[in-house]
Amino acid sequence: MNHHWQKIDLLTISYFVTEIPLYMNQKKKVLFVCTGNSCRSQMAEGILRDMASDQFEVFSAGSHPSRVHPMSIAILAEWGIDISHHISDSIDIYLNKGIDIVITVCDNANEICPVFSECAQRIHWSIDDPFHGWDNEEQFKDRYRETRNDIKHRIQKFLQTE
């Protein structure tokens, strides 16, 4: 075995790896938007981050942010996804953050969502809102599960196209 060629090959490889443009290594930034940033957008952020954090930086925001709904946290916890540390952010925070893809998850947010940049891709998913108030909502747990499952299905389709 010629060890000299091995060294050259390794040197050549390391040279080309360091010369790859930075933009090729950057993750796309995805922002999920809804009105309150308490249920749908929070679940979408958690699910996409869980499924593809190696490909995307994932965020969520609301046009009128409130807080993360405890039932959204509980429903994702059933799948081992922890969003208990999430907070509700305003869309304004992300306007100049180089967002590549904006996904609105409610019709209201789709209508009032600001323009992020000419380059940002806009996607709209009309997802039913499981929210019915801030109490425990045990009786609505199945609605939250349906919403979570719908979001995961849409994210799986989204990942097939990216």
Side-chain angles (χ1 to χ4, degrees), residues 37-50:
N37 192 220
S38 62
C39 298
R40 293 166 288 184
S41 55
Q42 292 288 345
M43 287 194 272
E45 176 186 353
I47 293 168
L48 181 58
R49 188 174 284 147
D50 183 67

Side-chain angles (χ1 to χ4, degrees), residues 3 5 22 26 29 40 49 60 64 105 122 144 146:
H3 294 288
W5 286 108
L22 287 177
Q26 288 181 339
K29 294 180 182 179
R40 293 166 288 184
R49 188 174 284 147
S60 66
H64 297 88
V105 294
R122 280 282 297 265
Y144 279 83
E146 289 169 12

